[in-house]
Each structure stands twice: as structure tokens, then as C-alpha cells.
Amino acid sequence: MDTPDRTRIVTPLSKYEDSPVFNYINSLSPIKPVKSLHIAQTFNTLSFSSPPSVFTSPHVSSQRDSRVIRRHFFSGSLKLETSSDNGLRVSTSEGVLDAVQVSDCSGNPLESFDGECLIREDDDPTNENLELAIELPRTLKYECGSPDSKVGSSQDSKTDPTVVVSDTPVTCDQFGQEVSIERHLSFQSGVDLHQICQIEQTKEDGTGCDWEALISETSDLLIFNSSNNAEASTIEDQNKLDRESSACNSLSVPQENTDHMPITQLHVPVDPCGQHQVDDYAAQSTGVEETETDHTPHILLSAFQNKEHVNFPSEVMDDKVGSRVPFDCKQRGIRRRCLVFETVGGRKKKLGDDSNSSSSASSQCDGKVSSNDKQLDPIRPCTSSSPCMIPGIGLHLNALAATTKDPRVVKHDTLASGKELISMPTSLSSLNSLSFEQKALSRRRLEHDGETEACKRCNCKKSKCLKLYCECFAAGVYCVEPCSCQDCFNKPVHEDTVLATRKQIESRNPLAFAPKVIRSSDTVPEIGEETPGPAMHKRGCNCKKSNCLKKYCECYQGGVGCSINCRCEGCKNAYGRKDGSTPEGEETKASEKNGLLSSLQTKDLRKDQDQCPDPDLSLTFSFQICRTSVQHPFSSFIKPVRSCPPSQPKFEKHFQISPDDETPEILRGNFSPISGIKTASPNRKRVSPPHSEFTSSPGRRNTRKLVLQSIPSFPSLNQHETGDFH
DNA sequence: GAGTTTGAAACT
DNA sequence: CAGTTTCAAACTC
């Protein structure tokens, strides 16, 4: 996609240079023209680079690259680990693609390009080339689909060989993870590949290092890389990198410094290119653009090191201790991971505590913590980010949907990354695709969702995990080990089936995979908090016997009060009755039904106004939303211990808000900003609202959406965000 | 862990 | 759209 543009640009340029006018100008100018700046990186096209735009942020592009890398990496890791399912999931919130690749990608795609063997492990002789060819298009699709990609230029990938280099150092050949990384590099450019090869050689030559530690770390780092493009971009744009690093250090580092420092040091020495290595880390962890890293290696280095420390510790702890995981920095990383995919999905599925989710979640939810395997598992928020998404995709689902997945944001992710996990590139609806891919990839935003999703697993026996009965499928994530399903088709191996089924379901209900709980503000209750902010179940519940006091009730399960949309009987929803806390509310329900939309709108407005008297509701909403997305991650950041609270909204996997047929007007039209903002991969990655669907409504204001999107999704200080917003 | 309850999803 | 069936999670024992 970008490629064509590029060629166009270049060509005209040459023409102009040759033109008499140009020559004349040159003669007049003391400055001598330099030709062919664009020269060589043939792979750039592959790398998705787009003509550099004034506004493009290098970060974004880098992220894209990272995404690609991740996929490969995952695939490689998966092969090694043999738990293809888990690995796939982990890798892709964005997408099924990843999963597929995993199964297929044992080979060396790089070879096809360069003729050089970047990949050491040749165990898989299978059609690597073919896969590679397939993958490229897919990746392109994802990128196109992901909002993130739009935001940033893809050029970075080309420009930064350094990034590539940096990645390689981190990886360890022994486990095959390296291979995947290298693959990523290969995509970037031939030059990069060469560098990589050199690096690998140096590695081989030398250095003994704690490979196990490195490997485990690497997996996380890679995952980390998968972070959302959007987040990364935002971070860089705001120069939050430093902040993050500092925050991470302050929070988690102290505890684990001693342990981790050595590890980090190991990496540095091993890598022939110290700087690059650092850059890579930074890029991976933060999604910082390559260009940035190049220019500011020192800064990034410091910041990055800090991050590394954080990450490593957590993982180390996981491996050694088992369950203990520092959530903060790691969580972030997880989150990003989801986001990246999302745009994955993949999400997958949710990240906030992603960090924890991957490690801690697995430990807590699954009860088992296998260090390496689990880490790779991230696709799912739980195991990593489960339905953290993804979803987005990462979500295969995400990919399809296509929303989020994001790329695997999810889709996971789903999501297409950005996907979500799911690398599923194509989503049925743009919305879905984004959410899923990102989600999948992302999807798994986890601030809120992350936790629950992280715990997600199914026990399907007859649905083959291809119906919404299946929580995993519904969440846009592949089933993983913890699942007890039978005849499960919700696996990367059956990507086609999953996607087809998803499409079918979406054809019936385009929002079938959208979050069921819509939140209009950031008042989402913290864990343990009983009163969630303005939020409602998209469709409402239909409880008859549970009084909406049990998790049978989707409203209750989602941590929201029942609304007018509910048809429940004897509602005693602890989060607030639909009528507004008056038992008689039900009576009004019928009457209100006719004016449901107006009522809802009024209701929401009231709520929001209470919180934010701002006359410009839409604006207020957006702001709140932004805060929500940001704050929660941050809060989770602060909270060391994560659990899978029942109160956690089970549904906010991919998007917080997804306008739906059933969705009240509030969420639509005038409130478009909210939807736009809230639309996010399960991982919390901000996903650009499904334009196709959202834009369809006349009342929508795209402008505001854009503004909101510009707000950094990455957790940051409220003040800071506020300032940005205003 | 098996069985029951429950309500969403799917089907008609 | 309403009624019924299917399904799997939630719950109970």
C-alpha cells in the first residue's frame, strides 16, 4: 500500500531533478542536490513504509515493524515450545494470521529474501517462502486496517536498521525465538538482514549468557514490542518515555533491581551494537519509533534499561517463584502487546494488568505458571492477555471483524494486531476489524478487562467454540490450554473456520463481538468498588430468577447497573437498578420503552453532567473516556496484586463503547466522541472507531473523534493528559 | 466433580 | 418479533 505511493514519489522527483528548471535552480543555489535518497531499501515496500509525511510519527511506523516482528517471533517461539495454541494466542491478539503463521512458520522466510540464513533453526522445512509471501500481504492488510498505521508513517521500518539490530541481540537462538525476530528484521530490509546476520554470528561466537533468562525476557520483550502503535506513538509524542521509565523504576525496579540488573548487562555485552540494542528494547517495550531511538539513543537507552529491568524482574520472578509478578511496568507492556496486535487484537484481550495477566494472570487464573510457556501465551489476556485482545483482536476474531484487531489490536487482534491478537487482517466491519486486530493484538487491554479476560477460558462441549456461547470465541480470542473445551475449532489451526464463523455471526449481528457493556465515563469502579460509573449493558439483561444479583446477569457480571434496555424481573442489581434505584423503576420501563433512545440519552446525559458539568457533553465524554483509558492502566499500574474479581466487566473486551443497533443514541450521534474514544481493543488500546459503521450515522462528529484519538491512550498522569486534551 | 440453575445465544 | 431449544457459565451440593 505504501509502496506504490513511494514509488510515485520517487519517480517524479527524479524527473524534476532532470528537468531544466531544476538544473537551473541548482545552478543558482549554492546547495548541491543530492539524488536518490530513497535508494536502496527495497524491502521498504514490504516494510509498509509510506511516503514520509510531515505529520507522520516515526513511532508508529516502528510499531508496525515491531508488530511484524512479533508475529514472527511468536511463531518461532511457538514452534519451539510446541504449545502452538498457546503461543499463537499469545502472539496474536491481532490475529489469526499469527496463529496460522505459527503453525507454518518454522522455516526461514528470510532465506527467501536474502538467501542468507538468518534463522538458525531449520527444523521446519515447510513452505516458509509461501508463508512469507502470505504473511506480507496480511501484514499489509492489518496495517491498513489499523488506525494506528494510518496515524504514523511506515517509513520508519525502512529507515532504521538499528532497530532491527537491536532486536536481534535480545533474542536467543536456542529457543527459536530468535528466528522469529530475525524474520521481522528481514521484512524491514535487506540491509537490516545483513546486519542481523552479523549480529547473530557474533552472538554465536560468543558469549555465554544466561540464555534461559534472556529467553524468558525476550519473550516478554517481544510481547512488549507488540504494544499498540497508537500507544507508542502517543507516548513518544508526549515524550512520556522518560516518564514511563522513571515510573517503572520507582514502582517495580527497586525490588528487583539486583536481580535484573545483571541480566540487562548481559544483553548489552552480548550485543555487538550496544546502542541498537538499547534502541530495540525501547522500541519494543514502548513502541517508540525507530527514528526516535536513532536520534536519541542515550535517552532511550536509559529509559529502556529501566524498563528492561522491570520486565525482566517480573518474568524472572515468574519463572523462579511462580506467581509473583510486579504488575506495573510489566502490565504496561502487556497492554501494549495487546494493542499492537490489535491493531490486534490483537487483544487481545485485555491488558491493564497485562503484565500481570501474562504472568500473574496465568498463575492466578490458571493456577499454573510455567514460565516460558505462559509468557508466550499472552495472546489471551489470561495467559497473557486474554481476551485481552486482541480481540482485537488479536483476536482472530478481531482480525475478522474485524475490528480491532486487532490486527490482532487484536485479535486479537484479535488481536489484527492492533490486533489485536488476531492478526486477522480482515474484519468484517471496519469497526470489528480494528477492534479485533488491535484487540487481539490488543484486545486485550486489560485495564478492566484484562483481569477478567485473563481468566477467561471456556468449557464448551458442543459448540466447538465457534459460537457466542463460547467465551473465548465471543471475546475474539483463541482457546488456549486452560480451556476445557471439546472439539474446539477456535484455534489458529482453524483460522479459516473461525473467521468464517465469525463473519457469519457478524452478518447477523454486526456488533455481536462488540463489548456488551458500554461505559460512558471513566468512573469504572476499581476492583472492589461496587459502584461503577455511568455504564450500561448494551442490550440489557433478561433475568427472571437471579434478581440480577448473580453472574447469570450480564449486567451484574459486567459490573453495571441494569438499564432501561433490561427486561429483567425483580431486579436488584447491586450496581444500580435500571429504574434509577427505585423499585418502581420497572414500571416506568414499559412506558420508557417507546422513547428508549431519548430516555437513555437523557439518563446518560444526566449522569455525565453530574460528573462533568461541562456544557459540551460530547467533549466531556471524550475527555472522560480518555481519562478512563489512561487512568485505569495507571491505577492498575499502581496496584500490585491482581485478581479476577467477579465484578470486573466481563464484556469490555475490545471496545468500551460500540454503537450498536441497540445502542442508545447517546452512544451514537452526538456522543460519537465517546464511542470513538472508547472504542478500543480489549487491551485498552485505543482503536480508531470503526469508521464505516460509526460514520454511518449522520449525527456523528468525526472531528471530535479525531481530537480524542490524539490523546495518548497510554497511561499517564491525569494532569498531563488533561493539559493535552485542552 | 457431578448435578442443577440460569439466562444468553441460536433456532424456528 | 415471539416462542422454543440449545448451550455453557454460574452456582450448589
Side-chain angles (χ1 to χ4, degrees):
Chain A
M1 307 170 208
D2 291 349
T3 303
D5 293 345
R6 227 184 180 195
T7 55
R8 292 176 188 173
I9 293 169
V10 172
T11 303
L13 183 65
S14 61
K15 288 180 180 178
Y16 291 119
E17 289 177 354
D18 294 342
S19 70
V21 174
F22 186 83
N23 293 334
Y24 176 75
I25 294 170
N26 289 337
S27 64
L28 293 177
S29 174
I31 299 169
K32 293 180 180 180
V34 176
K35 288 184 180 180
S36 68
L37 293 175
H38 295 289
I39 306 176
Q41 303 170 345
T42 38
F43 284 91
N44 291 346
T45 59
L46 293 176
S47 64
F48 313 111
S49 60
S50 59
S53 64
V54 174
F55 299 95
T56 56
S57 67
H59 303 293
V60 173
S61 64
S62 66
Q63 289 176 346
R64 289 181 181 177
D65 293 346
S66 64
R67 180 194 297 176
V68 173
I69 291 167
R70 291 174 187 171
R71 290 179 185 174
H72 295 290
F73 173 81
F74 283 107
S75 64
S77 63
L78 291 176
K79 287 174 67 180
L80 294 174
E81 290 179 353
T82 66
S83 63
S84 62
D85 294 346
N86 292 343
L88 291 176
R89 292 173 185 171
V90 172
S91 64
T92 60
S93 41
E94 289 181 353
V96 175
L97 288 178
D98 294 346
V100 172
Q101 291 176 348
V102 171
S103 62
D104 295 347
C105 298
S106 56
N108 306 336
L110 293 178
E111 291 179 355
S112 63
F113 290 96
D114 293 344
E116 294 178 356
C117 294
L118 295 177
I119 297 168
R120 293 173 183 173
E121 293 178 354
D122 294 341
D123 294 348
D124 296 345
T126 59
N127 315 323
E128 295 174 352
N129 293 339
L130 293 177
E131 290 179 355
L132 180 60
I134 294 168
E135 289 179 355
L136 292 176
R138 288 181 182 177
T139 55
L140 292 175
K141 287 181 180 179
Y142 286 130
E143 289 177 354
C144 293
S146 70
D148 293 346
S149 64
K150 291 178 181 178
V151 173
S153 66
S154 61
Q155 291 175 343
D156 297 348
S157 62
K158 307 175 189 177
T159 58
D160 290 345
T162 57
V163 171
V164 172
V165 171
S166 62
D167 291 345
T168 48
V170 175
T171 61
C172 296
D173 294 348
Q174 291 176 344
F175 294 84
Q177 291 176 345
E178 291 178 2
V179 173
S180 64
I181 293 168
E182 291 176 352
R183 290 178 185 175
H184 298 292
L185 295 175
S186 65
F187 284 99
Q188 291 177 343
S189 69
V191 174
D192 293 346
L193 293 176
H194 291 290
Q195 292 177 347
I196 293 167
C197 293
Q198 292 176 350
I199 293 167
E200 287 181 353
Q201 289 177 350
T202 56
K203 287 181 180 179
E204 290 177 355
D205 291 346
T207 78
C209 58
D210 181 352
W211 289 105
E212 291 178 354
L214 290 176
I215 291 167
S216 63
E217 291 176 353
T218 302
S219 62
D220 280 355
L221 290 177
L222 293 176
I223 293 167
F224 223 88
N225 291 342
S226 64
S227 61
N228 288 351
N229 294 343
E231 285 182 357
S233 65
T234 56
I235 294 167
E236 288 181 355
D237 293 344
Q238 294 177 350
N239 296 331
K240 290 181 180 179
L241 179 64
D242 293 346
R243 186 182 302 170
E244 288 182 358
S245 64
S246 64
C248 293
N249 290 341
S250 62
L251 293 175
S252 62
V253 170
Q255 293 175 347
E256 297 172 352
N257 261 350
T258 57
D259 294 346
H260 301 296
M261 287 300 292
I263 294 168
T264 310
Q265 290 175 349
L266 290 176
H267 291 292
V268 173
V270 170
D271 186 0
C273 302
Q275 267 185 331
H276 293 294
Q277 192 173 2
V278 171
D279 292 346
D280 292 345
Y281 286 106
Q284 290 175 348
S285 64
T286 59
V288 173
E289 289 181 356
E290 295 170 355
T291 56
E292 214 178 32
T293 57
D294 291 346
H295 295 291
T296 60
H298 298 289
I299 296 169
L300 293 177
L301 178 62
S302 63
F304 182 73
Q305 286 176 346
N306 292 340
K307 282 187 176 182
E308 265 192 335
H309 291 292
V310 173
N311 292 340
F312 284 96
S314 64
E315 288 183 353
V316 170
M317 293 301 293
D318 292 346
D319 294 346
K320 294 176 181 179
V321 175
S323 62
R324 180 215 182 175
V325 176
F327 61 100
D328 44 29
C329 295
K330 191 175 183 179
Q331 288 177 344
R332 261 193 184 181
I334 292 168
R335 232 178 121 196
R336 292 177 185 171
R337 182 190 304 169
C338 295
L339 293 174
V340 171
F341 283 100
E342 87 175 318
T343 54
V344 101
R347 355 40 88 211
K348 64 135 123 203
K349 301 184 182 188
K350 300 177 178 185
L351 299 178
D353 306 276
D354 320 312
S355 56
N356 292 342
S357 65
S358 63
S359 62
S360 66
S362 63
S363 65
Q364 291 176 348
C365 298
D366 296 348
K368 0 171 170 175
V369 177
S370 66
S371 60
N372 293 340
D373 293 352
K374 299 291 179 182
Q375 289 174 347
L376 293 179
D377 209 12
I379 284 180
R380 287 191 84 175
C382 188
T383 47
S384 74
S385 37
S386 113
C388 118
M389 266 217 244
I390 70 162
I393 62 17
L395 309 178
H396 46 62
L397 307 182
N398 298 338
L400 291 183
T403 57
T404 317
K405 135 191 344 70
D406 307 85
R408 343 131 20 36
V409 163
V410 172
K411 175 170 248 155
H412 146 112
D413 351 266
T414 28
L415 282 175
S417 76
K419 107 239 106 164
E420 262 76 304
L421 297 193
I422 300 174
S423 24
M424 329 224 335
T426 60
S427 59
L428 297 178
S429 63
S430 63
L431 174 64
N432 290 337
S433 61
L434 292 176
S435 63
F436 285 97
E437 290 176 353
Q438 294 168 348
K439 147 187 329 184
L441 313 185
S442 77
R443 176 171 284 56
R444 307 174 171 226
R445 84 170 43 178
L446 295 180
E447 302 168 352
H448 307 285
D449 302 349
E451 292 176 353
T452 56
E453 286 181 355
C455 300
K456 191 159 293 180
R457 68 192 69 173
C458 70
N459 191 29
C460 305
K461 292 173 184 170
K462 295 181 180 179
S463 66
K464 297 179 180 179
C465 298
L466 290 178
K467 293 188 177 181
L468 293 175
Y469 295 127
C470 176
E471 287 193 358
C472 298
F473 180 80
V477 298
Y478 290 117
C479 292
V480 290
E481 253 184 65
C483 294
S484 301
C485 45
Q486 299 175 3
D487 297 333
C488 178
F489 277 73
N490 186 26
K491 294 183 177 180
V493 177
H494 300 100
E495 175 186 2
D496 294 340
T497 302
V498 172
L499 295 178
T501 303
R502 187 183 175 94
K503 269 189 178 182
Q504 184 179 354
I505 293 171
E506 286 183 334
S507 65
R508 281 199 306 254
N509 178 12
L511 297 179
F513 294 95
K516 294 178 181 176
V517 173
I518 301 167
R519 296 189 184 282
S520 60
S521 72
D522 61 343
T523 58
V524 176
E526 294 292 335
I527 296 169
E529 258 183 325
E530 289 183 357
T531 308
M536 59 185 298
H537 192 272
K538 179 180 68 178
R539 204 167 19 224
C541 67
N542 191 30
C543 303
K544 298 284 193 299
K545 297 180 180 179
S546 66
N547 295 329
C548 301
L549 289 177
K550 294 186 178 181
K551 292 180 77 176
Y552 297 125
C553 175
E554 288 195 351
C555 295
Y556 179 86
Q557 190 173 31
V560 301
C562 292
S563 66
I564 315 171
N565 290 335
C566 297
R567 299 161 297 280
C568 48
E569 297 177 359
C571 178
K572 295 178 181 177
N573 191 325
Y575 294 115
R577 295 183 185 180
K578 53 185 159 192
D579 58 353
S581 74
T582 59
E584 297 77 1
E586 289 184 356
E587 294 178 355
T588 60
K589 179 173 95 178
S591 61
E592 287 178 352
K593 264 193 175 180
N594 293 337
L596 175 64
L597 294 177
S598 61
S599 299
L600 291 176
Q601 186 171 357
T602 303
K603 184 178 180 179
D604 280 1
L605 289 174
R606 210 185 313 145
K607 290 179 181 177
D608 293 337
Q609 284 179 344
D610 291 345
Q611 292 178 347
C612 295
D614 186 340
D616 184 347
L617 292 178
S618 63
L619 182 62
T620 302
F621 269 115
S622 63
F623 179 73
Q624 288 178 345
I625 291 166
C626 294
R627 272 174 42 196
T628 301
S629 63
V630 172
Q631 280 183 339
H632 277 286
F634 187 79
S635 62
S636 65
F637 202 72
I638 296 168
K639 293 179 181 178
V641 176
R642 288 184 58 192
S643 61
C644 301
S647 64
Q648 275 295 353
K650 170 185 179 181
F651 303 106
E652 286 180 327
K653 295 172 182 177
H654 306 288
F655 318 70
Q656 286 183 337
I657 293 174
S658 61
D660 173 348
D661 295 345
E662 297 175 357
T663 301
E665 287 180 354
I666 290 174
L667 299 178
R668 296 180 180 179
N670 293 339
F671 295 88
S672 61
I674 296 170
S675 62
I677 293 168
K678 290 225 167 183
T679 301
S681 66
N683 292 337
R684 284 265 167 186
K685 170 184 183 177
R686 247 193 352 251
V687 175
S688 62
H691 297 289
S692 63
E693 292 183 359
F694 286 95
T695 55
S696 63
S697 85
R700 234 153 247 153
R701 301 177 196 172
N702 292 336
T703 11
R704 289 192 179 175
K705 285 183 180 179
L706 293 175
V707 172
L708 293 175
Q709 288 177 348
S710 66
I711 296 169
S713 62
F714 198 86
S716 64
L717 296 178
N718 292 340
Q719 293 176 348
H720 179 73
E721 290 177 355
T722 303
D724 292 347
F725 182 78
H726 295 295

